[in-house]
Amino acid sequence: MDQFEGSIDDLQNKQPEWDAKSIFSKLIQKDQLVGDLYSINYDEGKVLVHDFHRQKVGGIPSLSFLIATRVNPENEIDYKDEDASIILLRVMDAAQIPQDKEAENVRINTSQRISGEVDKNWDGKDSMDLNTRHVLGFSGVSCRIIGTFYLEQDEDKPHNGLKLKFGSDISNYYSNKGFKIFKPNAQALEEIVNYCDPLNIKTHIEKYGNTERVKLGFVRYASTNRKHQQVDDVPVYIYPADLLSQKSALFGMTRTGKSNTTKIIAKSVYELRLPEKAENNPIRIGQIIFDPNGEYANENVQDKDKNNNPNALKNIWRQNSELKQKSDDLKSKYLAETDNGKKQVIKNEIKSIAETEVVTYGILKHPKDPFRRLMKINFFEEDNLQIGKEIIDFKIADQSAQYFKNFRQIVFNKPIESDYENQGEYFGQLKRYERRVLIYRTLLNKAGFNPPNRNVDISRMFSSDLRTAMINYEEKKFSKKQGLINSAGQVLGLSSVTWDSLFPAFEGLFHFLSTADFNTFNQDYISNHTTDESNDSTGEGWAEAELESLLEMFNYSKAVNLIGGVSIQHTVDVGTDFANDIYQDLLQGKLVIVDQSSGEPELNKSSATRIMWHIFKGNQSAFRNGVDNIPEILVYLEEAHNILPAGNDLDLSDVWVRTAKEGSKYRIGMVYATQEISSIQKNILKNTANWFISHLNNTDETKELKKYYDFADFEPSIRRAQDKGFLRVKTLSNMFVIPVQVDKFEIKTS
């Protein structure tokens, strides 16, 4: 390329022309010529290609990129001229040209002439003359028009330099104006597939002060990925900032690279904090991964590197060279230490180093993860009563029986003395609350939640009048019901009882509430309106609606069994709420991995939903309070169809739907992976900005995918190609879909 000579003033005057040549020279190489554009409209173009040029450039794969232009970068270029542009094309299929029928006849006639001769082909020199072979070497290629690269002045550059812009269409065409067609070489292709609108870069700088990008993989056009296509080493990059406050989808069949891609994404976001990766403005992003199979929280076979070393995502913190060195020094010290007490101190120091960056949670302990935090609470503890109740409510949310609906309405809010006009009313409501808590805890015990203590004090909880009425209750013919009620009256009069004995007592109390004797007692209770030793007389009936709803649960074994399904999340050793602990970890910018591999699907869904509500409401509160820096949080959902609402579920109040619709302003991003696009709620799909698509095996799913961006071009390839890690990618900064072979996840610690 010729260089300009002359004074500085001359160079400044020629700056736009010089920039135009420089920019276009990166995209257009004369030796990559493949043919001519002979037909065009606003959506597609048809290209005439000769086999000679096709072979020279290494072939023209289906779905590959071509460029159409009238620009010759060796000549003078006026960037304002209408022809000073490049049209980006995607190869779709063959196109018919007028001579195709005649050419087909010639090939058939020649084939018939050499039929049966193994050592001859119909295109051989002995079978077809040179001129015929040349003419028949022409063919048509149909291409989709992706958009137009053009130039405009860049105000941020000195001397009003030029910048490359891209528009996702063409603004005009002439039916009788020819374009030369080039296949981008590796250098040009890298410029094209990694193009990002300068406005997106500016947005990243304004929001995060960070424009770091990371390598996702390399360009791959087809399953048959032959080296002669000369694009197998063209890198494709993504901007981690594209994922923040956005929805990202990973769709594909099992074992096609979704999890590997998720790990690369999580790794790229984590690396934004490392000085060597983001030297301009390191930022810490809180990330949480709901891991249904334990492949992120645990070291497993598929994560080992080429040296057979563990390569699990949970060890990502070891990419921080300073933390890795501290940890390695402590491990050496630990191995050399003989005193068990000191060894434990060192072990705790190693734990604290790892947990500054990565924290794992799980329902059960893991033998190879001694630092794991248990997702359990003490359901019996006063501060956890409502938290535990909400966990149970999630578990039984789909139960339609009225007694379940009534139970879900119960809320454990302890009365506050200042809310009442007189002390007697306060003590009355407090006694009622304590009675409901006692009944609820008894229900928990029956459902398999081990209580902190074997015995419980119930003195002064039930009045002597009530107990007497129960003990004296009689039916014309003694029945099991009478026996339960009489026995219950005896038990409720004791000062201290076992939890196990309370269940039949409350079962008897439930039956007593439906008798005439209780109605008589209740009328006297209301009429007397005096404070007895139980201190619960408030002018109301003895049994409020919430108490009756609790007692009704004792009458159904299904209720007890379903509640028992949550008992795995109970422990008497933990006092804090794991949902709040996780949110605090995220606020500190940690990577949180929730191992759900040992939980039941319903329990996993309820836990994830409750944690998500905690995150959503926490960031929503920060937004409403005008906090300057709302914490950025990125949520990952593996096997998302098990957690997200179904595709036909139109409940807009669901936390996942609300996160999809409102998460951007609350700085909550979501990355969800599943095999079935159709299983995802439509409002979530419509608000998804980043797409990573691997192999899908049926038209039901690809038909849904065709609704978004230009994935319709890739539908046949997505159904056909089953190669692991072969993805079609559209991100917020990408202007069009890029076919990519994704790199294998690895942690670099050197």
Side-chain angles (χ1 to χ4, degrees), residues 726-744:
F726 183 16
L727 272 63
R728 293 81 183 165
V729 177
K730 169 69 178 75
T731 66
L732 191 63
S733 291
N734 288 132
M735 309 302 289
F736 40 83
V737 176
I738 309 293
V740 182
Q741 177 62 45
V742 176
D743 290 338
K744 190 178 186 302

Side-chain angles (χ1 to χ4, degrees), residues 21 88 135 163 209 234 339 367 380 449 454 518 563 599 607 609 740:
K21 282 191 173 186
L88 183 64
V135 173
K163 61 183 175 182
V234 176
D339 183 273
F380 285 82
F449 294 72
R454 191 174 187 282
F518 174 75
I563 292 174
S607 297
T609 301
V740 182

Side-chain angles (χ1 to χ4, degrees), residues 119-133:
D119 58 344
K120 287 186 178 181
N121 292 315
W122 56 258
D123 64 324
K125 295 180 180 179
D126 298 334
S127 307
M128 185 180 291
D129 66 85
L130 184 62
N131 183 62
T132 301
R133 286 168 53 206

Side-chain angles (χ1 to χ4, degrees), residues 127 167 199 461 468 522 556 573 601 632 635 660-661 681 728:
S127 307
L199 289 177
M461 197 70 74
T468 299
N522 201 39
Y556 298 96
D573 300 324
E632 287 282 352
V635 181
K661 294 176 71 66
Q681 216 262 12
R728 293 81 183 165

Side-chain angles (χ1 to χ4, degrees), residues 299-312 744:
E299 297 171 353
N300 49 64
V301 175
Q302 69 182 26
D303 280 333
K304 289 189 176 180
D305 61 20
K306 59 185 178 182
N307 298 320
N308 208 36
N309 296 316
N311 206 25
K744 190 178 186 302

Side-chain angles (χ1 to χ4, degrees), residues 268-325:
S268 71
V269 173
Y270 172 83
E271 288 177 344
L272 292 177
R273 72 191 60 197
L274 302 180
E276 62 271 24
K277 289 285 186 177
E279 42 187 60
N280 290 335
N281 184 30
I283 54 176
R284 293 178 66 92
I285 307 298
Q287 301 185 83
I288 177 170
I289 299 177
F290 293 101
D291 181 8
N293 300 313
E295 57 187 311
Y296 302 94
N298 306 310
E299 297 171 353
N300 49 64
V301 175
Q302 69 182 26
D303 280 333
K304 289 189 176 180
D305 61 20
K306 59 185 178 182
N307 298 320
N308 208 36
N309 296 316
N311 206 25
L313 182 64
K314 74 168 188 174
N315 297 327
I316 188 71
W317 62 273
R318 293 181 64 80
Q319 287 203 180
N320 185 316
S321 56
E322 182 180 347
L323 296 181
K324 177 181 179 296
Q325 187 60 52

Side-chain angles (χ1 to χ4, degrees), residues 508-520:
L509 178 58
F510 170 71
H511 289 302
F512 183 62
L513 296 183
S514 61
T515 67
D517 286 20
F518 174 75
N519 289 336
T520 301

Side-chain angles (χ1 to χ4, degrees), residues 424 427-432 435 460-463 525 530-542:
F427 282 121
Q429 293 297 347
L430 179 62
K431 187 60 65 178
R432 288 171 179 268
R435 197 155 48 213
R460 298 175 60 82
M461 197 70 74
F462 302 94
S463 70
Y525 176 85
T530 57
T531 303
D532 61 13
E533 76 274 14
S534 66
N535 225 1
D536 64 354
S537 180
T538 61
E540 308 169 61
W542 184 86

